[in-house]
Amino acid sequence: MFDLHRLRLLRELKRRGTLAAVAAALSYAPSSVSQQLSLLEAEAGVPLLEPVGRRVRLTEQAEILVAHTEAVLERLERAEADIAASLTDLTGTLRVASFQTAALTLVPAALGLLRDRHPHLRVHVTHMEPERALPALQARDFDLVLAEEYPGNPGPRPTELEQQDLLEDPLRLAVPEAAGSRGRGPMAALRALAGHPWVMEPEGTAARHWAVAVCRDAGFEPDVRFETTDLLLHLRLVEQGHAAAFLPDLLRTAQPATVPLRPLPRGRNTRRIFTVVRRGRGGHPAVVACRDALLGAVDRGAGPARGGTAG
């Protein structure tokens, strides 16, 4: 009989790549992780790890074991959901991760609905960008993640995760007053800012990849002088005339813009916002309640109308 905890460690090693990364993520000593995996090898009766330089990699037999572990964990998720569904009162803790604009707008309204409908459910919310939150969801640090996907830049869709669409959020060009762009079409307005400083999210993020691609489609390489994931700072820099930016309509729900906002060329003007849970977790009553509350927040005007586009 395999120890489930050790199976999870092997699964984490496949995902994170090194014993040190597994230990850091789970707050263990690397020697403890190594010891537990050695015990798992004894249980399996075959080698599970093989050295590659200073690192290790999973053997073919370990890969087989990880695949079965995924199936077992999904089955356990479904069992937990079924047990929770059999109860008359929704209790416990739901751990949610959300990126900034959703945390500013959708999450507070959804929390209000959850408090009214399920007063004994405890919701713990962490502000975290999807690039970090989704791996943490797979590692079971969260139960639900609010994520975003930019046009032309679809993210990976691991088979052990499942998504549910929440809304489409129009994206617009935020123009400093001094730059001016009145009367220009979307592409002309973009090209007029070719020599202007820009504020964008950091390199490596989906938002940055999308933003640079939009500028390149307009025929120029953006002069990115400011980098931050804080979109409220993006707005302030535009308001003070320091930079141009791309801002989502969802931000305007939290902080009305005082700068001109121009539409973007069609095909690149809307991001998709969705919730993500581990496969098998979608039927858990707390997850269902949270997703319903988030949809309720959208319907009550906490965000742009679902299906909307930037004109």
Side-chain angles (χ1 to χ4, degrees):
M1 180 70 68
F2 294 113
D3 181 273
L4 183 59
H5 172 66
R6 293 169 189 152
L7 290 172
R8 282 176 166 163
L9 289 177
L10 185 66
R11 173 179 174 271
E12 287 303 310
L13 179 59
K14 175 177 173 60
R15 176 164 293 118
R16 300 181 188 275
T18 66
L19 294 171
V22 173
L26 302 180
S27 299
Y28 288 170
S31 58
S32 297
V33 175
S34 180
Q35 181 184 34
Q36 290 299 309
L37 291 177
S38 294
L39 291 171
L40 183 60
E41 281 191 325
E43 291 173 349
V46 294
L48 298 177
L49 306 177
E50 55 188 11
V52 180
R54 295 185 177 182
R55 305 176 66 173
V56 295
R57 69 183 176 196
L58 274 63
T59 63
E60 179 184 352
Q61 292 71 34
E63 295 283 0
I64 293 171
L65 197 51
V66 168
H68 283 285
T69 299
E70 295 287 1
V72 169
L73 292 176
E74 179 183 341
R75 190 71 181 181
L76 290 175
E77 294 276 11
R78 294 186 187 279
E80 186 178 340
D82 288 345
I83 291 172
S86 71
L87 302 175
T88 56
D89 193 16
L90 191 53
T91 60
T93 299
L94 182 72
R95 302 161 300 166
V96 176
S98 174
F99 60 96
Q100 185 190 34
T101 45
L104 284 169
T105 54
L106 300 176
V107 171
L111 288 173
L113 292 172
L114 285 171
R115 180 183 55 204
D116 294 340
R117 298 170 182 173
H118 307 285
H120 301 298
L121 177 65
R122 183 175 184 268
V123 184
H124 185 275
V125 180
T126 300
H127 171 210
M128 187 177 291
E129 298 304 313
E131 287 84 0
R132 293 176 52 216
L134 291 174
L137 174 68
Q138 292 175 286
R140 286 171 166 71
D141 294 337
F142 298 108
D143 301 303
L144 180 144
V145 167
L146 278 154
E148 59 185 348
E149 187 173 272
Y150 283 80
N153 190 41
R157 299 192 179 187
T159 56
E160 63 267 32
L161 300 181
E162 55 187 27
Q163 303 179 3
Q164 184 178 94
D165 285 343
L166 185 57
L167 72 146
E168 291 184 349
D169 188 22
L171 298 155
R172 303 184 190 273
L173 173 64
V175 185
E177 287 282 3
S181 64
R182 200 165 297 171
R184 296 192 179 109
M187 190 61 77
L190 261 175
R191 288 171 178 155
L193 294 167
H196 202 81
W198 286 80
V199 55
M200 292 184 180
E201 297 200 34
E203 288 191 24
T205 61
R208 175 64 169 268
H209 184 275
W210 164 81
V212 170
V214 170
C215 293
R216 288 174 178 170
D217 284 350
F220 68 93
E221 193 71 23
D223 178 10
V224 183
R225 299 191 193 179
F226 311 98
E227 293 183 298
T228 175
T229 59
D230 186 349
L231 294 189
L232 290 174
L233 179 53
H234 286 218
L235 176 58
R236 291 290 173 263
L237 289 170
V238 179
E239 288 175 339
Q240 297 296 319
H242 298 299
F246 297 113
L247 297 178
D249 273 12
L250 194 57
L251 182 69
R252 296 162 62 190
T253 306
Q255 184 68 45
T258 58
V259 296
L261 295 172
R262 302 283 306 198
L264 291 172
R266 292 191 179 277
R268 286 194 175 274
N269 59 3
T270 304
R271 66 174 176 171
R272 184 173 71 97
I273 296 177
F274 52 97
T275 57
V276 191
V277 299
R278 291 183 299 278
R279 190 166 299 280
R281 193 76 172 179
H284 193 288
V287 169
V288 173
C290 185
R291 282 175 158 172
D292 286 346
L294 287 165
L295 288 171
V298 173
D299 290 338
R300 291 188 178 193
R306 275 177 279 171
T309 58

